[in-house]
Amino acid sequence: MKFAILVFPGSSCDVDMHRAVHDVLGEEASYVWHTDREAEDLSNFDAVLVPGGASYGDYLRPGALAKGSKAMESLRAFAASGKPVLGVGNGFQILTEAHLLPGALLQNKGLKFKSGTTMLSVQNADSLFTSEYETGEAITVPFAHQYGNYYVDEETLADMKANNQIAFTYADHQDQGSTDKIAGVLNKEGNVLGMMPLPERAVEEVLGHVDGLRLFKSILKRVE
């Protein structure tokens, strides 16, 4: 399986993504700089990963400048084809700014950067990204963000619930004010996932946690 890791100025978790899919899972993974010719047509890849960090230094707001990249047109076409797109941390913020996912990421309720580990509850174990989990299962995943407060209005929230688009919720106090304690969301088609916690940092025992590995295994299982 061929993974593209879409890299913007300020991306800093791209190496973590590469290690997770290439070194741990043994799959093919390529860094794709957002202005490279390869980024203009992502159709040769089987999945696209949009990593965390601070694209363009989070100027204006996280993800606001990255959404204007030429690579986003290709990413939209890739998502429309039904192939999997995973955005983590800043990658999630980019996907919401590009309207590939509903909602927006606001500053944490305390207006400070927070990091550590958080416990998540799996809300949808039937998706392309979560089939290796059980619904209601509690998993432990690292997090590191200042804009991790997920907001969505009541009408959109009701629509998301009706379409089973909520993949993960926080099962502890690390939600930072997020609506309904939401930690990860899917698009209506189920092939785009965005989440603030960092599953790529929970794929090896040496890292302290391995619950994130099953997310990547889920992608492999469904695509293969």
Side-chain angles (χ1 to χ4, degrees):
M1 186 172 173
K2 295 174 62 178
F3 287 82
I5 302 170
L6 192 58
V7 184
F8 296 92
S11 296
S12 61
C13 298
D14 45 332
V15 176
D16 296 335
M17 283 288 196
H18 190 277
R19 180 168 180 82
V21 298
H22 182 266
D23 297 352
V24 179
L25 289 179
E27 301 296 325
E28 185 176 345
S30 299
Y31 297 110
V32 178
W33 185 250
H34 72 114
T35 58
D36 284 352
R37 175 173 293 183
E38 201 171 23
E40 297 176 3
D41 182 5
L42 296 165
S43 62
N44 290 327
F45 293 97
D46 300 307
V48 174
L49 309 176
V50 189
S55 58
Y56 294 94
D58 284 345
Y59 287 113
L60 298 183
R61 60 185 179 274
L65 295 182
K67 74 172 182 181
S69 169
K70 291 182 178 179
M72 296 309 296
E73 182 177 344
S74 177
L75 184 61
R76 290 188 181 94
F78 187 90
S81 75
K83 293 181 178 181
V85 176
L86 170 65
V88 174
N90 187 229
F92 183 16
Q93 295 160 347
I94 292 170
L95 295 180
T96 59
E97 286 286 340
H99 302 298
L100 286 168
L101 289 173
L105 278 304
L106 310 178
Q107 283 205 64
N108 296 342
K109 61 182 180 181
L111 305 181
K112 293 182 179 180
F113 175 85
K114 297 287 185 178
S115 65
T117 57
T118 183
M119 184 172 291
L120 304 179
S121 176
V122 179
Q123 298 299 312
N124 177 356
D126 296 322
S127 80
L128 187 156
F129 304 92
T130 57
S131 60
E132 289 287 305
Y133 300 107
E134 298 290 335
T135 298
E137 181 180 357
I139 63 173
T140 301
V141 182
F143 72 96
H145 50 244
Q146 184 165 342
Y147 287 78
N149 180 359
Y150 180 75
Y151 172 78
V152 68
D153 62 64
E154 291 184 5
E155 181 179 352
T156 305
L157 177 62
D159 190 45
M160 289 169 61
K161 289 181 176 180
N163 289 297
N164 208 16
Q165 289 176 249
I166 300 173
F168 302 103
T169 57
Y170 293 98
D172 56 20
H173 62 284
Q174 300 292 359
D175 58 279
Q176 302 304 323
S178 295
T179 302
D180 261 33
K181 299 178 76 71
I182 293 172
V185 301
L186 298 155
N187 64 343
K188 287 185 177 180
E189 293 74 22
N191 69 303
V192 179
L193 170 67
M195 58 188 298
M196 288 309 299
L198 310 167
E200 72 278 15
R201 296 187 186 180
V203 296
E204 298 177 277
E205 291 287 355
V206 69
L207 298 175
H209 304 282
V210 294
D211 286 340
L213 184 59
R214 283 182 285 160
L215 187 150
F216 296 100
K217 286 183 174 180
S218 296
I219 299 174
L220 290 177
K221 183 172 73 173
R222 295 294 282 268
V223 172
E224 292 176 348

